């Protein structure tokens, strides 16, 4: 029986469609020669091809295949163009997708190599499901087909012209050694890996604090290598130095007991600029709670600024701190910077998991940090102003305890929107380590630093929106929101951070050395055994700690169960998500156990209140301390599980070692045996509350008094 002409045509069309559908997926990046000649764009194109081959394992991924079924068409770059890192418009991009004949064509609109780079990485992360969560961990999706609709318009604009991170290498964090010691195995590769992470997340700025012990001959070529690589990835690199900071082995441009200060500055800057730095930040204080040279002799700071700007052709930034040295700042007035030249920029600093605007932020002896918000508002009208907030605070506050503090997410998200409204041009996050969930804060900040719009409608973000991208499950979103709300209430509103943080190194020193740093109790622990001290506040605090611990542990368990259920429904990438969910759940559980442990040790101190000295600690206190030790042992199990998943070698980040910082160990060494927990148990047992008891710190090296001359 012969088919009618209509049926024949229909049958042929079905055969054609089936054949078309059966064709293997092919994705081609169409890049003109002018674009491939620009290193920033070329590096991103090559990286995108590698990443897409992993995410589309059965597809043909090619460069300049005009017959590919999916074509990513990139724009032609002008032959001569000067890209400005201060122009956010030049870094923006727009994708337009349409169906053309037998292909889907996505056309990128961007005017610079940086815009093209941002556009490609933005497409991967914001639309195709790639997750650049950590310099050493990327969640790669597995696509069998092209997952996007054939027609859409999607655009992105950075909230700040300069976006990036300050690696606080005065502390022994992941990259402190690699940035300073070219002999460390894989040092340059590790720094490049981090630079790639910045580029993939649409960041364009990096800074670290230089240490004074670097090899003056061998280090400049090493630094030049990673700075030049950063430039090839579209990243501006800055270095922070000090005028004459004593503490923590900071690099100094002036030795205060040597003559000819300006000559010292000139000589040190000449040495420093063997490397093509884009900007230099100057710390003018001699140390925290110590005098600021820019107030005693502002001409020295301004001379350094003039040399950086006019002699070496780089930008100069003045570093601020939340320490308020006088009555003027105590009344809420911003620190004076009127003597800072107008061609100098300023970094406005805030600390810990507190926003610049909230009412209670008991840091460094302050009531809050609103005076820094006023400073940002004031200075943004007359000079280049970058916001410089923290995403973690090492020493004895969060990741060294450890605690996973979700309020970092809400504070940083709130501040970012506030600073954007003020017209602040830069956002440089002060980061002090990535394990125990701290990578989530940095990754979230990087993602929030962009505004995205679909068909002209802005896409909303929230403190937990980036976490929600990893785990897009309604019940999980609810549980994480409950965890954030719980921490906001107990840790910040009820001020339990005063107790769950360990005491800072100088907190137990005698006056006048016991200057405030992080939130501390409104009483000294030794006072709890004095009969004249009221127990009302400590008792209420202990009750709050116990209630927070119970609720936090319950939520962590629920998150674990729900995450496990969710991961089983994910078609691919289960292993990566499973590891991340366990890491975050363990971090929350450790935070819960920390509160419970602190409640027990405070109770153990109070239990000795009525006992004669010769009968202390007493049976009641010993029972409480035995329970505290059991809690610590539970937490140690979590620590060992977590260490197995650290992304950098445990020997680097969590063991004793020598390096150029003021510390003889990695930043997670106090966590490795829960030093602060054990110390608090022994303090309660022996009623020893002085700074030298079970001391972890090298006070001589931290203070660095020898650097006045040598």
């Amino acid at each position: 029986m012969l088919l009618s002409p209509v049926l024949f045509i229909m049958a042929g069309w079905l055969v054609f469609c089936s054949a078309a559908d059966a064709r293997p997926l092919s994705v081609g990046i169409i890049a003109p020669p002018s674009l491939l000649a620009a290193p920033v764009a070329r590096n991103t194109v090559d990286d995108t091809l590698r990443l897409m081959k992993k995410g589309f394992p059965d597809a043909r991924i090619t460069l300049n295949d005009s017959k590919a079924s999916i074509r990513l068409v990139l724009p032609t770059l002008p032959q001569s163009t000067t890209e400005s890192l201060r122009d956010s418009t030049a870094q923006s991009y727009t994708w337009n997708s349409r169906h053309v004949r037998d292909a889907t064509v996505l056309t990128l609109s961007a005017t610079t190599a940086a815009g093209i780079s941002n556009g490609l990485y933005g497409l991967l992360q914001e639309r195709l499901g790639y997750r650049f969560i950590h310099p050493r961990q990327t969640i790669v999706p597995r696509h069998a087909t092209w997952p996007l609709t054939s027609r859409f318009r999607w655009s992105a604009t950075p909230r700040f012209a300069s976006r990036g991170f300050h690696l606080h290498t005065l502390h022994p964090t992941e990259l402190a050694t690699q940035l300073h010691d070219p002999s460390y195995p894989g040092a340059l590769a590790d720094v490049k890996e981090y630079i790639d992470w910045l580029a993939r997340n649409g960041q364009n700025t990096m800074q670290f604090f230089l240490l004074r012990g670097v090899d003056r001959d061998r280090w400049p070529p090493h630094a030049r290598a990673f700075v030049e690589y950063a430039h090839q990835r579209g990243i501006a690199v800055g270095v922070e130095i000090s005028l004459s900071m004593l503490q923590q082995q900071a690099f100094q441009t002036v030795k205060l007991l040597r003559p000819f200060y300006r000559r010292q500055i000139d000589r040190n800057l000449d040495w420093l600029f063997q490397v093509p730095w884009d900007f230099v930040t100057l710390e003018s204080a001699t140390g925290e709670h110590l005098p600021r040279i820019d107030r005693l002799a502002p001409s020295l700071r301004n001379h350094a600024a003039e040399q950086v700007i006019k002699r070496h052709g780089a930008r100069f930034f003045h570093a601020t701190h939340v320490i308020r040295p006088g009555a003027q700042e105590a009344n809420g007035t911003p620190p004076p910077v009127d003597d800072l030249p107008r061609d100098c920029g300023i970094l406005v600093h805030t600390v810990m998991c507190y926003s610049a605007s909230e009412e209670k932020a008991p840091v460094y002896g302050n009531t809050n940090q609103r005076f820094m918000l006023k400073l940002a508002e004031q200075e943004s009208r007359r000079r280049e102003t970058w916001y410089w907030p923290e995403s973690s605070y090492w020493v004895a506050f969060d990741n060294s305890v450890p605690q996973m503090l979700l309020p970092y997410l809400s504070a940083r998200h709130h501040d970012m929107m506030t600073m954007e409204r003020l017209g602040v041009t830069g956002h440089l996050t002060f980061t002090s380590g990535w394990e125990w969930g701290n990578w989530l804060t940095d990754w979230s900040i990087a993602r929030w630093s962009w505004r995205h719009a679909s068909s002209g409608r802005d896409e909303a973000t929230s403190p937990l929106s980036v976490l929600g991208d990893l785990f897009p499950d309604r019940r999980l979103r609810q549980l994480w929101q409950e965890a954030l709300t719980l921490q906001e209430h107990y840790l910040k509103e009820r001020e339990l951070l005063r107790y769950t943080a360990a005491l800072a190194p100088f907190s137990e020193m005698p006056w006048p050395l016991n200057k405030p740093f992080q939130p501390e109790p409104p009483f000294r622990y030794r006072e709890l055994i004095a009969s004249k001290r009221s127990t009302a506040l400590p008792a209420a605090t202990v009750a709050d700690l116990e209630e927070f611990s119970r609720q936090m542990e319950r939520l962590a368990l629920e998150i674990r169960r729900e995450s496990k259920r969710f991961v089983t429904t994910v078609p691919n990438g289960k292993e990566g998500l499973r590891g991340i969910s366990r890491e975050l759940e363990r971090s929350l559980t450790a935070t819960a156990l920390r509160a419970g442990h602190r409640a027990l040790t405070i109770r153990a101190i109070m239990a000795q209140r009525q006992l004669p000295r010769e009968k202390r600690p007493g049976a009641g206190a010993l029972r409480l301390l035995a329970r505290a030790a059991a809690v610590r042992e539970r937490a140690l199990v979590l620590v060992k599980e977590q260490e197995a998943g650290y992304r950098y070698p445990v020997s680097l980040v969590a063991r004793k070692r020598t390096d150029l910082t003021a510390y003889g160990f990695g930043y997670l060494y106090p966590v490795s045996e829960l030093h602060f927990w054990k110390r608090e148990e022994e303090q309660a047992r022996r009623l020893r509350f002085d700074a030298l008891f079970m001391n972890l710190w090298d006070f001589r090296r931290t203070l660095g008094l020898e650097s006045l001359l040598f």
Side-chain angles (χ1 to χ4, degrees), residues 194-256:
Y194 179 69
I195 291 168
D196 288 339
W197 179 85
L198 291 172
R200 289 173 171 182
N201 279 286
Q203 305 298 283
N204 66 356
T205 309
M206 167 187 166
Q207 177 180 274
F208 66 99
F209 210 125
L210 183 61
L211 297 169
R212 57 176 167 261
V214 294
D215 187 310
R216 290 251 174 166
D217 296 321
R218 296 175 62 242
W219 181 76
H222 174 62
R224 190 160 52 245
F226 64 70
V227 169
E228 289 173 353
Y229 180 75
H231 290 165
Q232 294 171 8
R233 302 295 274 127
I235 310 295
V237 185
V239 62
E240 184 174 6
I241 58 177
S242 76
L243 263 178
S244 193
M245 184 174 173
L246 305 180
Q247 69 184 50
Q248 297 190 97
Q249 302 300 305
F251 181 87
Q252 300 167 315
T253 54
V254 168
K255 302 291 183 181
L256 290 177

Side-chain angles (χ1 to χ4, degrees), residues 47 62 82 188 216-217 325 338-339 419 428 457-458 467 571:
D47 191 31
T62 58
T82 301
L188 183 58
R216 290 251 174 166
D217 296 321
D338 291 335
D339 53 359
M419 295 301 165
L428 189 69
R457 180 175 296 179
D458 286 346
L467 180 62

